[in-house]
Amino acid sequence: MSARNDIAPSTLGVELHDYGVEVEYIDNRTTVYRGVPEAVTGTLGTAPGKEVHVLVTDPTETEGVMMYVNDLTSHDDVLESSGVGRVILGEGDEEELFPGVLVRRVPGHRFEIEADPEVARGRVFVFVEDDWGEDSYEFVAE
């Protein structure tokens, strides 16, 4: 089974805490993206080689959908059983992950994300991580 297919996301549980964002997968596991997300507007660019996870909540902020961008380590069945989606982009490709949320792959294994929370109709979080650390961002209206 390939580990590089696009996968549609399912609705996940979301809890916003003062210490981070908690996500409950459809298999009842949870994870916490720690830290208060940094507010961003416009375009968010990532460093090369980072894992990129995009979470958009519903207007109640209790549910959301999550996409992994270019995740090459999680197998399809693992993502499908968790409810997390995945999109694979080649260099120069771009895709609207959700209404109002665009991601593009730029040279150097980097990504640019643009989001409009009003169009997305919820909060838009981006988590950028690797083995050394994790950064959290939230798109806010300009």
Side-chain angles (χ1 to χ4, degrees):
M1 185 178 294
S2 172
R4 293 184 168 95
N5 291 316
D6 287 356
I7 296 176
S10 298
T11 301
L12 308 176
V14 175
E15 283 192 55
L16 305 178
H17 303 285
D18 59 354
Y19 57 84
V21 178
E22 182 176 358
V23 176
E24 181 179 3
Y25 303 111
I26 62 174
D27 61 7
N28 295 319
R29 292 178 305 116
T30 62
T31 191
V32 176
Y33 293 93
R34 300 215 174 266
V36 175
E38 178 183 333
V40 295
T41 59
T43 302
L44 172 66
T46 69
K50 300 284 189 172
E51 293 181 20
V52 177
H53 304 169
V54 179
L55 171 68
V56 178
T57 71
D58 70 347
T60 69
E61 301 175 0
T62 61
E63 293 183 329
V65 285
M66 178 175 277
M67 292 289 285
Y68 289 179
V69 179
N70 276 43
D71 173 274
L72 301 178
T73 58
S74 302
H75 288 276
D76 293 2
D77 56 347
V78 172
L79 292 174
E80 290 167 352
S81 69
S82 70
V84 173
R86 174 177 54 211
V87 63
I88 302 294
L89 300 174
E91 190 170 307
D93 289 347
E94 69 178 35
E95 185 159 327
E96 186 175 48
L97 297 181
F98 310 106
V101 181
L102 179 74
V103 63
R104 78 178 57 84
R105 183 168 170 192
V106 295
H109 300 285
R110 298 172 184 259
F111 296 93
E112 292 179 343
I113 301 100
E114 297 175 2
D116 182 340
E118 290 184 23
V119 174
R121 297 187 58 228
R123 294 175 77 171
V124 180
F125 297 97
V126 178
F127 308 107
V128 180
E129 57 187 42
D130 62 13
D131 291 339
W132 301 101
E134 174 184 296
D135 296 310
S136 299
Y137 304 93
E138 180 180 3
F139 278 90
V140 296
E142 292 188 46

